[in-house]
Amino acid sequence: MHGRPRKASKPEDEAASTTKAQKLRALQTQFFSFHHSKIYTKEAVELSAKLLEINPESYTAWNYRKLAVEHYLSQPDCNPETVKSVLDDELRVVESALRQNFKSYGAWHHRKWVLSKGHSSVDLELRLLDKFQKADSRNFHAWNYRRFVAELMNRSEKDELKYTEDMIYTNFSNYSAWHNRSVLLSSLLEKKAEGFLSKENLLPEEYEFIHQAIFTDPDDQSGWFYHLWLLDQTVTTDHPLLVSTWPAHGSDVFLVGDRCQNGSFSPFTTVLSDSGSFPIVLYFNQPVKGVSSSTVIIECGFNKNEELLWEPLSVSNSQTAQVWVAHLKCPTSELDSSVEISVGYSKEIVSPRGSQYSHPSTFSFKVHVQPVERDSSRVSVAENILWREENFKVYRAQSEESIPIPSFDQLCIKNGHESTASNWRTEALAKEVECFRELLSLMDCKIGKLTLARLLMAYDVMSFPFANKLVHSEEVLELYNDLMKLDPTHHRYYKDEHSLVLLRKMTSSEESLLQHCFQYKDSVSSAIGNPICLRLNNLSLSRIRAFERLLWVQMLDLSHNELESIEGLEAMQLLYGLSLGNNKLRSLTALEPLRKLKSLRVLDISYNRIGDHSIDTTRYLCSSPLSHSVGSELNDVALINYWEAFYMFKDLNLNQLDIVGNTIADEKFKSVLVKIMPLLKRLDGELLD
């Protein structure tokens, strides 16, 4: 454990271990007899102490002693001296157990339980902790217990901070001390204690402090973890902010039917809708709760009396989400109207930590409803959308289009306040960049390169929050390329970070984004109308983000990448067509974000790895509502074996689905899909009856 080689046991050690095991079994047999019979005599309690001295990890024995304590304290003749005697005995048993194993969860928990009774003195606890922390200064159990004792003693957090600093100077490699320092500083900043009123004065000093540890021993990870915490404190705003919306501020939205016969509408601002409504999307910089009709006020010339229902776009069904959506209904007749939306003028929008949305924002746009005649001779036949190269042509903006896509300075809500990237943040980051460039000039350090990559990206975001400039993107991409070669063990992590930087670079400006905008063949006559397809295919992306820049996209090609997850895609509420073909999606549960896309009609998930594993491990590794949400809805016996598919596809209104090339896609599964989705017209390119 922790890099220590395991030594072969000697014959005498094996004999001692056998004797200990026999003694332990005998004790356990007798102990369980007492426990099951609820016997709390002196003999029985002493037996549990002997058992814990041999095996401090016996949770049942600790719980038995709790029951015994409650039994003694509930006796009619119990007096304060008896209480003190009983609890002091417990503290002695715990101390004896900790001498055997000072990392015993059960022992530390039991000691907390005894002190929480309020009848024991805590004066000796810090001295006891000093003994254990001298034996192992990084023992996180002892540090956790120290925080508990300090709170009981009302000990000053500043005094604890000084103790932590002394422990760090004793050993820079004390990760637990660094962690305790971050906990204390977070608390002091939150309370705005004297000398800790703002990060502006505190964090630059902390950066200087951590440099001593990092430059003393760059190969030790403890200081690097604390530096990462400092970086997070530097770039994270204290309060939630609205960073993007759809529709964008100042934009014009054209609402047309699901088959447009008129090619005069802009492909960037035309929204296909067969429901007479369109989504309004609010994208925050962190998860929030409290978005409702009382915190988001909408003023328009139509739909005056109906309150909007705001829904959090969270696959975990939480009422806290980074993205919220509501659907605004429009009349079916011709309409030209302005809409103004005000966000956060009441104080009910808050982060999970309780920070209020403190920058009220207003954005406006115009809505144009265009009645469109439909060609009934073509409605009955579903056109097959083929995601082939020959079916796409590079989009060339028309001369009359002054702004072909919603400008990115509109996507970021400017609130009328100064940028959150205050001077001290950018100055601190600039100093850190210079510092780590110097370190890397002296030595080839993997974690130094990783830190520099993080710093450069943070600096760009802080320096150009509304210009979306990525001055250092090429350097950051090269750093991650180097790390993938230097540290193949963590190749996947570096690959994910490389993908996120590449995607942010491609979406950082209109010029770079237009290079990936294509039209689908003769789109004027197409069943999908004439939206632009954003093609991010063949880029080796293993992870995707930057959705706040892509809220306008209706057709997206992510095929031929290396995606195992599409988390966050639920923010793209306008998506009509989506290609995820030739990726590495392993399960149906990986598709769960798609359940939030009510406009999705065309989906390609062909040639993935769905069904390669008979057991969908996603269900057990991630919090999922799957096992709680189906049940009574499965009336068809044929669907019971495919309940995940039923749950995933039952609320989608797909017209076309491609699933060929997945292990799960046999004929039986396809027949189940047809039952689940009655509106499906094409499956793997074949027209259904």
Side-chain angles (χ1 to χ4, degrees):
M1 188 175 181
H2 301 301
R4 298 176 184 175
R6 179 175 295 181
K7 298 179 180 179
S9 58
K10 299 177 181 178
E12 55 269 27
D13 294 334
E14 292 183 1
S17 178
T18 301
T19 302
K20 181 179 178 180
Q22 291 173 346
K23 182 180 179 181
L24 181 61
R25 279 194 292 268
L27 281 173
Q28 285 179 330
T29 301
Q30 195 172 0
F31 163 73
F32 282 120
S33 175
F34 288 142
H35 183 33
H36 293 154
S37 302
K38 298 182 180 179
I39 297 174
Y40 304 117
T41 63
K42 183 178 180 180
E43 178 192 0
V45 174
E46 287 179 352
L47 182 72
S48 68
K50 292 179 181 178
L51 176 59
L52 287 167
E53 187 175 347
I54 298 175
N55 179 20
E57 294 300 328
S58 178
Y59 285 93
T60 306
W62 289 118
N63 289 332
Y64 169 81
R65 293 193 69 88
K66 290 182 178 66
L67 293 173
V69 169
E70 297 292 353
H71 172 75
Y72 289 141
L73 299 186
S74 65
Q75 297 302 307
D77 58 347
C78 183
N79 55 55
E81 290 185 6
T82 304
V83 172
K84 185 178 185 305
S85 175
V86 169
L87 296 179
D88 284 349
D89 283 344
E90 293 304 305
L91 293 177
R92 281 192 289 271
V93 171
V94 172
E95 187 172 346
S96 176
L98 288 174
R99 293 187 189 283
Q100 293 295 319
N101 178 11
F102 52 77
K103 293 185 178 181
S104 168
Y105 285 86
W108 286 110
H109 184 271
H110 193 72
R111 197 169 187 89
K112 280 186 179 181
W113 180 82
V114 173
L115 261 66
S116 298
K117 290 289 184 181
H119 300 286
S120 303
S121 172
V122 296
D123 295 337
L124 299 178
E125 296 304 300
L126 291 182
R127 270 183 274 173
L128 176 67
L129 280 168
D130 285 339
K131 292 180 182 179
F132 286 119
Q133 289 185 307
K134 285 179 180 177
D136 182 1
S137 63
R138 296 182 291 185
N139 184 351
F140 71 89
H141 298 277
W143 281 98
N144 184 41
Y145 185 69
R146 184 181 185 89
R147 287 190 288 273
F148 169 78
V149 171
E151 186 175 351
L152 283 182
M153 298 176 64
N154 291 319
R155 182 173 162 85
S156 165
E157 288 180 315
K158 292 182 181 179
D159 290 341
E160 283 297 289
L161 193 65
K162 179 63 171 63
Y163 173 81
T164 301
E165 187 172 322
D166 292 340
M167 293 293 286
I168 289 172
Y169 275 123
T170 302
N171 180 9
F172 277 139
S173 186
N174 193 335
Y175 173 81
S176 295
W178 287 113
H179 171 70
N180 198 56
R181 187 172 185 84
S182 69
V183 172
L184 291 168
L185 288 177
S186 297
S187 177
L188 289 166
L189 285 169
E190 186 175 350
K191 295 174 181 176
K192 296 189 180 300
E194 184 179 352
F196 300 88
L197 295 178
S198 70
K199 296 178 181 179
E200 182 175 356
N201 297 323
L202 175 66
L203 294 189
E205 295 179 0
E206 289 300 303
Y207 277 120
E208 291 298 325
F209 183 40
I210 193 61
H211 289 166
Q212 299 177 51
I214 290 176
F215 278 77
T216 299
D217 185 3
D219 291 327
D220 184 78
Q221 296 184 11
S222 303
W224 292 103
F225 278 114
Y226 187 72
H227 189 276
L228 180 59
W229 177 79
L230 287 178
L231 177 58
D232 181 66
Q233 294 298 305
T234 304
V235 301
T236 302
T237 57
D238 296 328
H239 299 279
L241 292 172
L242 183 63
V243 296
S244 181
T245 69
W246 196 92
H249 177 60
S251 62
D252 287 82
V253 177
F254 294 88
L255 196 66
V256 300
D258 60 348
R259 294 180 188 277
C260 178
Q261 304 302 315
N262 189 329
S264 62
F265 305 130
S266 168
F268 291 97
T269 57
T270 302
V271 180
L272 302 172
S273 174
D274 52 10
S275 62
S277 67
F278 65 91
I280 298 174
V281 181
L282 304 179
Y283 203 114
F284 296 88
N285 68 332
Q286 58 184 280
V288 296
K289 58 183 178 180
V291 177
S292 66
S293 57
S294 62
T295 55
V296 180
I297 308 301
I298 297 182
E299 296 181 9
C300 61
F302 57 94
N303 200 19
K304 296 181 178 179
N305 299 321
E306 183 178 345
E307 290 188 351
L308 295 189
L309 178 63
W310 287 92
E311 175 190 0
L313 292 178
S314 169
V315 295
S316 63
N317 291 332
S318 168
Q319 289 304 303
T320 300
Q322 190 172 357
V323 188
W324 289 74
V325 65
H327 288 81
L328 183 62
K329 290 185 178 180
C330 294
T332 55
S333 57
E334 187 169 345
L335 172 73
D336 293 282
S337 179
S338 296
V339 178
E340 183 176 276
I341 300 180
S342 301
V343 182
Y345 284 87
S346 66
K347 302 297 183 182
E348 298 172 24
I349 298 179
V350 296
S351 71
R353 291 186 175 182
S355 299
Q356 293 181 339
Y357 180 82
S358 57
H359 297 286
S361 312
T362 299
F363 64 98
S364 60
F365 53 90
K366 292 182 179 179
V367 177
H368 310 274
V369 177
Q370 304 287 341
V372 177
E373 294 183 5
R374 302 182 183 184
D375 186 346
S376 59
S377 65
R378 296 176 56 211
V379 172
S380 60
V381 178
E383 180 181 354
N384 191 24
I385 306 301
L386 301 174
W387 302 86
R388 298 172 181 168
E389 291 293 329
E390 60 267 24
N391 290 332
F392 292 92
K393 59 181 181 181
V394 177
Y395 175 76
R396 303 192 183 282
Q398 302 299 315
S399 59
E400 62 269 17
E401 289 183 305
S402 56
I403 302 178
I405 57 177
S407 63
F408 286 103
D409 61 348
Q410 292 175 336
L411 285 176
C412 294
I413 309 302
K414 292 189 178 178
N415 301 316
H417 296 265
E418 291 185 2
S419 165
T420 56
S422 52
N423 289 336
W424 76 265
R425 298 177 191 268
T426 53
E427 289 174 4
L429 291 171
K431 289 180 180 178
E432 290 305 293
V433 168
E434 182 180 353
C435 177
F436 285 99
R437 286 196 194 281
E438 179 183 350
L439 175 66
L440 291 175
S441 69
L442 300 174
M443 61 184 303
D444 194 15
C445 175
K446 291 182 293 187
I447 197 166
K449 288 190 174 187
L450 176 60
T451 301
L452 179 59
R454 290 168 171 165
L455 286 167
L456 290 171
M457 285 302 296
Y459 179 80
D460 282 355
V461 172
M462 288 285 104
S463 301
F464 313 104
F466 301 120
N468 296 292
K469 293 181 181 178
L470 290 183
V471 177
H472 299 98
S473 59
E474 289 297 334
E475 182 180 357
V476 174
L477 290 172
E478 189 59 36
L479 284 168
Y480 282 122
N481 281 330
D482 288 346
L483 286 167
M484 281 186 270
K485 298 173 184 175
L486 290 171
D487 187 12
T489 305
H490 300 100
H491 181 277
R492 180 55 194 262
Y493 173 79
Y494 302 135
K495 178 67 175 174
D496 285 352
E497 294 301 306
H498 183 279
S499 297
L500 296 179
V501 176
L502 179 61
L503 190 55
R504 187 169 287 276
K505 175 189 174 185
M506 290 186 298
T507 60
S508 62
S509 68
E510 293 181 18
E511 181 181 1
S512 60
L513 195 51
L514 278 171
Q515 296 176 17
H516 299 275
C517 290
F518 291 75
Q519 282 185 302
Y520 180 75
K521 57 179 182 180
D522 185 11
S523 60
V524 172
S525 63
S526 168
I528 61 172
N530 63 342
I532 293 300
C533 179
L534 181 64
R535 303 199 73 200
L536 302 175
N537 58 320
N538 285 298
L539 295 173
S540 297
L541 297 175
S542 60
R543 194 175 174 192
I544 50 176
R545 202 184 283 169
F547 298 108
E548 70 275 13
R549 294 171 167 82
L550 306 176
L551 301 182
W552 54 273
V553 176
Q554 297 183 59
M555 197 172 180
L556 178 63
D557 185 358
L558 288 168
S559 64
H560 296 86
N561 281 300
E562 300 174 19
L563 299 175
E564 295 183 13
S565 168
I566 54 172
E567 181 183 359
L569 201 65
E570 63 273 10
M572 300 178 67
Q573 286 292 295
L574 298 185
L575 271 186
Y576 185 97
L578 173 64
S579 175
L580 294 167
N582 289 275
N583 274 282
K584 296 181 179 180
L585 300 172
R586 302 183 192 181
S587 65
L588 291 172
T589 50
L591 304 174
E592 191 161 358
L594 302 184
R595 297 183 63 250
K596 301 289 184 178
L597 302 179
K598 304 304 180 185
S599 298
L600 191 63
R601 298 293 182 269
V602 178
L603 175 63
D604 182 1
I605 51 174
S606 61
Y607 298 100
N608 275 273
R609 299 177 179 180
I610 301 173
D612 280 8
H613 302 280
S614 57
I615 297 177
D616 180 2
T617 55
T618 310
R619 274 184 285 159
Y620 307 104
L621 295 176
C622 305
S623 176
S624 172
L626 287 175
S627 57
H628 308 290
S629 304
V630 184
S632 59
E633 298 181 63
L634 281 174
N635 297 319
D636 191 331
V637 176
L639 298 179
I640 292 178
N641 292 330
Y642 297 98
W643 61 270
E644 290 153 321
F646 176 79
Y647 177 78
M648 202 60 58
F649 291 108
K650 68 184 178 71
D651 293 326
L652 291 180
N653 297 314
L654 295 179
N655 296 330
Q656 175 181 324
L657 174 64
D658 292 284
I659 197 169
V660 67
N662 289 283
T663 304
I664 198 173
D666 56 21
E667 291 303 316
K668 187 176 181 180
F669 182 70
K670 291 180 182 180
S671 66
V672 168
L673 290 177
V674 174
K675 286 185 179 182
I676 295 173
M677 295 180 286
L679 298 180
L680 195 63
K681 302 299 182 184
R682 285 187 180 272
L683 181 59
D684 287 337
E686 296 183 4
L687 191 64
L688 301 175
D689 295 334

